[in-house]
Amino acid sequence: MNTNQHSPKTKQFRILSALLFLVIGLFAVPVRGAENLTISLIGLEAGFPEIRANVRILGSDNRVVEEINPADIEIYENGTRINEFEVVPAQTSPQLIAILVDSGINTTYERDYGDASIRAAFGGLISERIIDSQEDKVILTEQIADGGIDQTILHVTAADNPADVMQGFESISFTPANEPTEAFIGIDETLTEISTSLEGQAGTPSSLIFFYHNVNWPPQTQQVRLARAMADKALAQGTRIYVIHANPRNDFSEPFEEMAQLSGGKYINLAADDVLTERFAEIYEDLEPQSQTYVLRFNSNSINPGEREIAIVPAGEPVSKSQAVGSVNLSSNPVSILVESNPDIVRTPAQVGDEIRFTPSSTPILAQVESWPYILGDDDLTLAELIVNGVPVQTIENPEPTNIVFDLNINQIEIDSTLLVQVRLSDKNDLVFKSETQQLLIEVEEFEPTAVPTEPPAAGSGTAAGSESSEPVPTPTPFVVVSSESADQSPSFLSWLPWALTALLLLALIGVIIFFNRRLNQLGAGVAREAYRRGGLLLLTRTIITGPIRGNEVIARLKVLKGPEGLVGNKVDIYTHNVNIGRDPRRCDIVLYDGDDLSSVSSLHVIIQFDQGAFKITDASTNGTKLNGKQLESDLPADLKNGDTIILGDLFKRGAELKFEVPRNTKNKKNAKSEKQQASLSKLNAIDKNANEELIEVIEQAEPEQPKAGQTPAASSKSQDDNDENWMDELE
């Protein structure tokens, strides 16, 4: 058999498998999404109504995100999401740079590059102004082994002046050592020093520059695991690790290349002929962009002054997981718009030919902003409107806040009038405010026009000879004039008519609710059965529907142990399958403390039911019920047995204590249902799908009536059957 030949099905399987692995590989490539962003809050500022949040945003690679999509960020103000905001690049933030030099065995720094060149290369941090001595922080550590003791020496701390870092380098010899070092211990302790120095400053970018020659301990397999662990620790605290490998042969590089890559840093390997200042610049050029911050600018959701809690999260994350949370106090200035005009204007008439002219024809209205919720710039106001008697008559776009001048046309006013003048201003944040109303009084002097002789119209003119000249059509007034006569008129009655009709409808609705509420409270058991028989209202409680059913035999008793005076020691017989006990005689069969509002017995307190040969008790009160000392759950039926004690409400607040007794002939008695009753139950179920066997108790007697004197048992039984049949016929 030729094993190199394959069936067509095998080839198809291989093709499909290859496609499947290709698709899995495509989807397995990690893509940075909003959920992979890390947002740190650097600071908050507020200038009403704008709030500015300075943040640092890192991607999943622990590097600053260069392009921010606002859709990837959510901002919340006091728990309410901000829908519109702007992302603006801001200045770089202060940073912390830590340098760790490994001075282990076989290091050839001085031989390969010279200690002076190495110090000069590290000096580029200051000469190239990578470090700001006023704001940035620097840590310098060295890993050495002396007498078999490995230790991390701290030459420069974050509290020292960054300019002292060069002095710290003078303490490092860069000469070969005789003992191996634990480089990963030095990396771990330096990362811890970074975290401690930045405690409470989550928005400060941090970097670790690791300078080493070779690491020959522990074995390389363990080095890989330790390198990944150091990368994870750096990621967790937002620190990038930059690795400078000063080994021309590139030995012992793999774990540290991976550590730099995973933490978001860079790895460079120095060749023998490299100019160190140029190679170190590759690291320095990457440090500054990683200190880039952004400002999120948005307007507050409210114009009310007060404290605002701001939370910023990547899109899709719950606000409770936000790591960028801060508060800012937003205060606004009171609004003050000053409106000035001539308080009294006198219009003087004059006759020019046959025309009467009044002067002045207009008057200036001056408005200026004395105070706005924030300091206004020249371009902040978008619209100014002059409102006269409630009607906008003139607008000015993009007005100057301190010099808004309107020219009000009063040419149409020919009688004494009072104008109510307001100025309404709008700004670019959609804030709108009005000034106080000013009264502008206009007085028109009286004038008697002089008759002017008219010449007859020329032949062929538009007016027919002998016809009267038409009256001039008045020009509409641009606003409603408030005259002295009309200003004091009372409002028309018709304006109150809608309010009166609304009030009448509300009163009628309240009356209907009160009527039906009282009606339903008055419905007894017999009314319930009658309503059910006639197909009337079924908005009755389950207790009323299921009872009471009166019998001639006592099925239970309640002995009053504590309660109203005159009832203590008495026994109350129960003849029905359903008994309501409480304080309201309209709803209860057994009434305690009738009309006593100080009693802790509720209007309807408990319901006792006899069903399937067993008694149940249900708490329907607001003050609670105890059965044998145990509190009953509201509206949850509980078994009631002979000798049980029932406490209604609080005995110290005019409650009651009852003892439940069951005669021997009532215990475990069950009534057989006749075929007629079963048929009626089927009809009830057909009408009401939620009906159950308990509803049949509406149409059956608890016990057959006892034969009366002079009546045979057979006659009594027949009379009882007739009564049951008549009642069921009515129900059907």
Side-chain angles (χ1 to χ4, degrees):
M1 179 181 293
N2 188 355
T3 56
N4 293 327
Q5 294 180 354
H6 303 284
S7 65
K9 289 186 178 181
T10 303
K11 292 181 180 180
Q12 292 176 3
F13 176 77
R14 289 186 174 183
I15 294 173
L16 290 175
S17 299
L19 290 175
L20 179 61
F21 282 116
L22 178 62
V23 171
I24 293 175
L26 290 175
F27 280 97
V29 176
V31 180
R32 185 186 66 81
E35 67 279 1
N36 293 323
L37 296 180
T38 300
I39 304 176
S40 303
L41 181 64
I42 299 174
L44 286 170
E45 294 180 353
F48 186 90
E50 185 180 83
I51 298 176
R52 296 175 294 277
N54 188 213
V55 297
R56 184 165 177 254
I57 305 175
L58 301 179
S60 59
D61 55 1
N62 203 26
R63 298 178 64 82
V64 168
V65 179
E66 296 180 0
E67 295 183 4
I68 304 297
N69 184 356
D72 292 339
I73 300 174
E74 294 179 1
I75 305 175
Y76 292 86
E77 177 191 27
N78 292 342
T80 302
R81 184 174 175 181
I82 299 294
N83 295 320
E84 296 183 4
F85 62 91
E86 182 182 13
V87 182
V88 181
Q91 73 281 2
T92 57
S93 68
Q95 60 180 325
L96 186 150
I97 299 175
I99 303 170
L100 170 62
V101 177
D102 179 59
S103 299
I105 193 171
N106 299 328
T107 54
T108 59
Y109 304 133
E110 185 181 25
R111 184 196 68 188
D112 295 337
Y113 307 104
D115 57 352
S117 297
I118 296 173
R119 291 188 180 94
F122 277 113
L125 287 170
I126 296 176
S127 62
E128 299 297 329
R129 297 185 179 180
I130 305 301
I131 296 175
D132 187 335
S133 60
Q134 301 299 321
E135 296 184 356
D136 295 333
K137 298 178 180 180
V138 175
I139 296 174
L140 176 60
T141 59
E142 181 185 11
Q143 194 71 17
I144 65 172
D146 186 10
I149 300 175
D150 192 274
Q151 56 184 320
T152 305
I153 300 177
L154 190 60
H155 292 289
V156 178
T157 70
D160 297 331
N161 191 319
D164 295 339
V165 67
M166 295 314 301
Q167 186 176 355
F169 273 112
E170 296 297 330
S171 303
I172 301 176
S173 65
F174 297 105
T175 57
N178 298 322
E179 301 178 45
T181 56
E182 294 283 358
F184 289 103
I185 293 179
I187 296 172
D188 180 66
E189 292 180 349
T190 304
L191 287 174
T192 300
E193 183 68 22
I194 293 173
S195 178
T196 303
S197 301
L198 293 181
E199 188 173 0
Q201 304 176 46
T204 301
S206 58
S207 305
L208 168 60
I209 300 176
F210 177 51
F211 183 79
Y212 83 108
H213 178 270
N214 67 292
V215 176
N216 50 17
W217 182 262
Q220 189 169 8
T221 55
Q222 189 175 356
Q223 288 183 28
V224 172
R225 294 196 300 270
L226 290 171
R228 291 172 180 173
M230 293 301 99
D232 290 341
K233 182 174 181 178
L235 279 171
Q237 65 185 52
T239 302
R240 293 175 311 281
I241 301 178
Y242 295 88
V243 177
I244 301 177
H245 192 185
N247 186 331
R249 294 192 307 243
N250 198 23
D251 296 333
F252 311 100
S253 63
E254 290 82 359
F256 299 96
E257 287 186 62
E258 185 176 8
M259 181 177 67
Q261 181 182 5
L262 292 177
S263 65
K266 295 187 68 175
Y267 170 90
I268 61 172
N269 177 245
L270 301 179
D273 56 350
D274 278 344
V275 179
L276 296 190
T277 54
E278 295 178 358
R279 295 303 310 275
F280 277 44
E282 298 178 22
I283 301 293
Y284 301 156
E285 290 172 359
D286 193 71
L287 289 174
E288 188 172 2
Q290 301 311 311
S291 62
Q292 175 70 55
T293 66
Y294 296 90
V295 170
L296 309 181
R297 298 170 52 182
F298 56 92
N299 287 341
S300 173
N301 283 324
S302 172
I303 64 173
N304 297 323
E307 196 80 10
R308 305 289 202 273
E309 183 179 85
I310 306 301
I312 307 169
V313 294
E317 282 195 8
V319 68
S320 59
K321 293 186 177 180
S322 173
Q323 299 178 6
V325 180
S327 60
V328 63
N329 196 324
L330 194 67
S331 60
S332 62
N333 300 322
V335 177
S336 177
I337 304 172
L338 179 64
V339 177
E340 296 180 350
S341 64
N342 295 326
D344 299 320
I345 301 174
V346 178
R347 299 200 71 202
T348 303
Q351 184 169 354
V352 180
D354 60 350
E355 182 181 359
I356 299 175
R357 298 178 181 177
F358 292 84
T359 55
S361 60
S362 63
T363 183
I365 305 293
L366 174 65
Q368 62 179 351
V369 178
E370 290 189 323
S371 178
W372 199 254
Y374 57 94
I375 299 176
L376 282 175
D378 291 338
D379 299 327
D380 288 340
L381 290 182
T382 57
L383 187 66
E385 300 171 273
L386 179 63
I387 300 175
V388 180
N389 295 344
V391 179
V393 298
Q394 190 177 352
T395 60
I396 299 176
E397 294 184 355
N398 302 317
E400 296 181 7
T402 58
N403 187 26
I404 306 172
V405 181
F406 298 95
D407 188 24
L408 177 61
N409 183 0
I410 58 174
N411 200 39
Q412 305 299 323
I413 299 178
E414 299 180 358
I415 60 174
D416 292 350
S417 305
T418 300
L419 302 183
L420 305 180
V421 178
Q422 273 185 306
V423 173
R424 181 168 59 195
L425 301 179
S426 307
D427 72 356
K428 63 181 181 180
N429 298 310
D430 297 327
L431 296 177
V432 180
F433 296 101
K434 287 183 181 180
S435 69
E436 296 288 337
T437 302
Q438 302 287 337
Q439 282 194 350
L440 183 61
L441 303 178
I442 300 179
E443 180 182 351
V444 181
E445 293 183 347
E446 296 183 359
F447 178 74
E448 291 292 337
T450 303
V452 178
T454 59
E455 297 181 359
S461 64
T463 306
S467 64
E468 297 182 357
S469 61
S470 60
E471 293 289 336
V473 178
T475 304
T477 304
F479 43 80
V480 179
V481 175
V482 180
S483 65
S484 57
E485 297 178 356
S486 62
D488 298 332
Q489 291 181 357
S490 59
S492 172
F493 169 75
L494 293 177
S495 63
W496 296 97
L497 186 58
W499 297 100
L501 291 176
T502 303
L504 288 175
L505 287 174
L506 286 175
L507 289 175
L509 180 60
I510 293 172
V512 170
I513 293 173
I514 293 174
F515 171 78
F516 278 104
N517 186 52
R518 290 183 175 179
R519 181 61 178 165
L520 291 176
N521 286 336
Q522 292 173 355
L523 286 176
V527 178
R529 290 196 295 270
E530 185 68 11
Y532 190 93
R533 182 180 67 82
R534 295 184 179 182
L537 290 174
L538 290 178
L539 299 176
L540 306 174
T541 65
R542 182 170 174 266
T543 301
I544 294 177
I545 293 177
T546 59
I549 301 176
R550 183 77 180 182
N552 292 329
E553 184 179 351
V554 175
I555 62 174
R557 291 189 180 91
L558 287 173
K559 184 177 181 179
V560 182
L561 302 180
K562 296 179 183 179
E565 295 182 5
L567 289 181
V568 177
N570 291 348
K571 293 185 178 181
V572 182
D573 294 336
I574 297 176
Y575 295 90
T576 65
H577 286 192
N578 228 50
V579 175
N580 294 351
I581 304 174
R583 189 163 40 86
D584 189 351
R586 297 174 301 175
R587 306 171 64 187
C588 301
D589 306 296
I590 299 176
V591 180
L592 304 172
Y593 298 105
D594 182 12
D596 187 351
D597 294 335
L598 298 178
S599 172
S600 58
V601 176
S602 300
S603 298
L604 174 58
H605 203 104
V606 295
I607 303 167
I608 295 178
Q609 295 173 303
F610 182 70
D611 180 31
Q612 300 292 327
F615 285 95
K616 302 283 185 180
I617 182 170
T618 305
D619 177 37
S621 70
T622 57
N623 297 319
T625 302
K626 291 183 179 179
L627 180 63
N628 295 327
K630 183 179 179 181
Q631 194 79 24
L632 292 180
E633 294 187 28
S634 181
D635 297 326
L636 185 63
D639 292 334
L640 185 62
K641 299 178 182 179
N642 183 39
D644 288 348
T645 57
I646 307 167
I647 296 178
L648 310 180
D650 188 347
L651 292 178
F652 294 99
K653 296 181 180 179
R654 303 178 67 80
E657 183 177 1
L658 309 175
K659 182 178 181 181
F660 184 73
E661 298 176 351
V662 180
R664 294 181 179 178
N665 59 347
T666 307
K667 294 181 181 179
N668 301 322
K669 182 180 293 185
K670 296 183 180 180
N671 297 324
K673 295 180 176 64
S674 65
E675 294 181 359
K676 184 76 171 183
Q677 293 168 341
Q678 292 290 352
S680 298
L681 179 60
S682 299
K683 290 184 178 181
L684 285 175
N685 285 326
I687 296 171
D688 183 1
K689 294 181 180 179
N690 295 322
N692 52 39
E693 291 186 0
E694 206 168 42
L695 290 175
I696 199 61
E697 292 178 3
V698 179
I699 59 169
E700 70 180 84
Q701 297 294 338
E703 289 290 339
E705 292 187 1
Q706 298 297 325
K708 298 180 181 179
Q711 185 179 26
T712 63
S716 174
S717 176
K718 184 177 185 305
S719 175
Q720 179 66 35
D721 292 341
D722 292 341
N723 290 337
D724 288 346
E725 187 170 357
N726 292 336
W727 163 241
M728 282 183 251
D729 289 340
E730 290 179 1
L731 182 65
E732 294 170 6

